[in-house]
Amino acid sequence: MVKRAMQLWLHAIITLLIVLISEGHPVDITYLESAVAKGAVCLDGSPPAYHFDKGFGAGVNNWFIQLEGGAWCNNATTCLARTKTRLGSSKLMVKTVSFSGILSNKAKFNPDFYNWNRIRIRYCDGSSFTGDVEAVDPKTKVFYRGARIFSAVMEDFLAKGMKNAQNAILAGCSAGSLAAILHCDRFKGLLPPGAKVKCLSDAGFFINTQTIAGTSHIEQFYNEVANTHGSAKNLPQSCTSRLKPGLCFFPQNVAQQIQTPLFLVNAAYDSWQIKNILAPGVADPHGTWRNCKLDILKCSSSQLQTMQAFRSEFLKALNSLGPSSTRGYYINSCYAHCQTGTQETWMRDDSPVLSGTTIAKAVGDWYYDRKRFQEIDCPYPCNKTCKNRNFESDASKDDTED
């Protein structure tokens, strides 16, 4: 029986690898060494990096830029710890990543953007590309320079042809998605006046709500991020003129003032937010939420009730933005986090749908003004097409999207 189980496991892994190879394609890393002289460096002082797959055919003057996710560091200790990982040092990043989903170069898997210049900017600053502290921490030798990284890579892309862009999207996953919101108008300002520029947030609509213990954990955390990284001057002034900097990490306080068209892709039961905003370890010292956070099917009825209340808070924050003819949103009822960068959730025969529409179709229709999409799913567990994350058995992805 053990041998049979091992054979089945190996078959599953091989099948998964075949699928990943057929759906994705490898793209090598580029280190932006010239940024170091500008002080635009990762937490450990290493150069920023990105993966660039050049556009072709009719897409040569179109640019899709994705900002990588990976949470944040909120003090000297946590930022120093990140320097020992790929989230704080380009020296520790893998040299090649697989592009799939919205980064795919195949029309079959990504019909609206497959031939664009497609770029993933690696995340190594811990501040959603907002930090800029001139002084280097004398004890830890840590650099807080996320905003400089954003500026340096944008200058590089402009020189590589983005100055001639006809179409452009600034996007991201999770913490990178939050960065796409915060830098959205600034990005548009870099491009030609006649260019069609929009922004896409995937799993970046983090809400300001209390934990299961009734504490304001995430608000305090963002206050510490903003203070540690000196983020205030790089956050939208339309927010910082009204609120303290930490509150401007919440899109509910920022997105309404953004002038550039914005599309929000988010799960109403975002798995990262459930695990880290609603029920972080500090609010659950006895681990009663552990199994629920790993697999939504293991949540008790009372835990599901709490998650339904979280969904209500999420929709309240979303609705507080008010109506907009240029804003789009795709809010499904999946237990997921970041759904545009993987093929199974972006566009495939078995991908999740909302109102009969895949995420790829909704985003493409919105970008090209073919059809407005502003849809909110019914409550869990109504949508049977969801690819709910199972963090115990999900061997295809690590839990470091954010």
Side-chain angles (χ1 to χ4, degrees):
M1 182 176 290
V2 173
K3 183 178 180 181
R4 176 60 177 164
M6 181 63 71
Q7 289 174 335
L8 290 172
W9 181 80
L10 287 172
H11 181 267
I13 293 296
I14 292 169
T15 301
L16 175 62
L17 288 172
I18 292 172
V19 169
L20 290 175
I21 292 170
S22 65
E23 292 181 348
H25 64 286
V27 180
D28 291 336
I29 199 167
T30 297
Y31 300 100
L32 189 57
E33 300 285 356
S34 62
V36 177
K38 303 172 184 176
V41 293
C42 299
L43 290 166
D44 72 334
S46 58
Y50 58 78
H51 302 260
F52 187 173
D53 197 22
K54 291 185 178 180
F56 55 94
V60 292
N61 288 320
N62 300 334
W63 293 73
F64 180 86
I65 298 176
Q66 182 192 69
L67 299 165
E68 186 180 39
W72 308 267
C73 58
N74 60 324
N75 55 45
T77 301
T78 58
C79 289
L80 177 60
R82 281 173 80 100
T83 65
K84 309 299 191 295
T85 75
R86 64 172 178 82
L87 293 172
S89 173
S90 61
K91 298 174 184 177
L92 301 174
M93 295 173 182
V94 294
K95 302 297 186 290
T96 304
V97 299
S98 179
F99 274 19
S100 63
I102 201 169
L103 291 170
S104 174
N105 64 352
K106 297 181 176 67
K108 174 184 177 182
F109 296 130
N110 187 25
D112 285 310
F113 312 112
Y114 73 97
N115 59 358
W116 288 31
N117 294 284
R118 284 152 289 106
I119 300 166
R120 175 180 290 169
I121 300 174
R122 302 303 299 268
Y123 182 41
C124 62
D125 65 272
S127 71
S128 285
F129 299 90
T130 64
D132 192 355
V133 177
E134 180 64 34
V136 180
D137 190 313
K139 292 184 178 179
T140 63
K141 309 300 185 197
V142 170
F143 297 76
Y144 302 106
R145 305 282 178 78
R148 294 195 197 184
I149 291 176
F150 183 84
S151 296
V153 294
M154 290 302 152
E155 287 176 17
D156 188 53
F157 300 152
L158 288 168
K160 284 181 165 64
M162 196 171 72
K163 64 180 182 295
N164 301 315
Q166 297 172 351
N167 294 283
I169 295 176
L170 179 66
C173 158
S174 202
S177 178
L178 173 59
I181 295 174
L182 298 176
H183 289 291
C184 184
D185 284 342
R186 185 176 296 125
F187 176 70
K188 179 176 173 58
L190 296 173
L191 299 175
K196 185 185 187 75
V197 183
K198 298 188 178 184
C199 299
L200 170 64
S201 166
D202 180 9
F205 200 83
F206 301 98
I207 66 169
N208 189 6
T209 192
Q210 293 188 329
T211 69
I212 54 174
T215 56
S216 300
H217 173 71
I218 190 64
E219 181 177 331
Q220 179 183 343
F221 182 83
Y222 278 157
N223 285 338
E224 293 167 357
V225 172
N227 290 335
T228 298
H229 292 267
S231 300
K233 56 184 173 292
N234 297 307
L235 295 167
Q237 192 174 2
S238 59
C239 180
T240 55
S241 62
R242 299 177 293 112
L243 301 169
K244 59 184 181 181
L247 291 174
C248 297
F249 275 81
F250 293 106
Q252 66 199 78
N253 296 328
V254 177
Q256 189 176 31
Q257 285 76 42
I258 292 174
Q259 302 300 307
T260 308
L262 173 67
F263 195 98
L264 302 168
V265 175
N266 229 102
Y269 309 91
D270 183 282
S271 57
W272 192 92
Q273 295 197 54
I274 296 297
K275 292 191 294 178
N276 297 282
I277 293 181
L278 178 64
V282 68
D284 182 31
H286 301 295
T288 56
W289 274 74
R290 183 184 181 278
N291 290 335
C292 174
K293 291 190 293 183
L294 291 173
D295 183 355
I296 195 170
L297 295 177
K298 295 182 179 179
C299 295
S300 67
S301 57
S302 63
Q303 288 171 331
L304 287 174
Q305 189 174 359
T306 300
M307 290 170 69
Q308 299 294 8
F310 175 87
R311 173 183 180 269
S312 296
E313 286 294 308
F314 182 93
L315 297 182
K316 180 181 177 181
L318 177 69
N319 291 329
S320 72
L321 302 181
S324 169
S325 60
T326 63
R327 189 183 308 126
Y329 48 84
Y330 190 109
I331 311 299
N332 59 23
S333 60
C334 306
Y335 187 62
H337 185 68
C338 290
Q339 301 178 83
T340 63
T342 52
Q343 202 61 52
E344 68 170 351
T345 47
W346 171 247
M347 182 181 179
R348 213 168 62 181
D349 290 342
D350 60 345
S351 289
V353 294
L354 174 55
S355 297
T357 307
T358 62
I359 296 173
K361 181 72 164 59
V363 172
D365 284 349
W366 163 80
Y367 181 80
Y368 284 109
D369 301 313
R370 295 189 296 247
K371 183 181 179 182
R372 191 169 76 166
F373 197 93
Q374 298 179 335
E375 296 290 338
I376 297 172
D377 211 349
C378 47
Y380 174 87
C382 70
N383 190 336
K384 303 306 180 184
T385 69
C386 279
K387 303 289 185 184
N388 293 320
R389 292 292 301 273
N390 182 323
F391 294 94
E392 286 185 315
S393 64
D394 191 351
S396 66
K397 312 180 191 84
D398 61 30
D399 187 23
T400 53
E401 292 163 329
D402 196 9

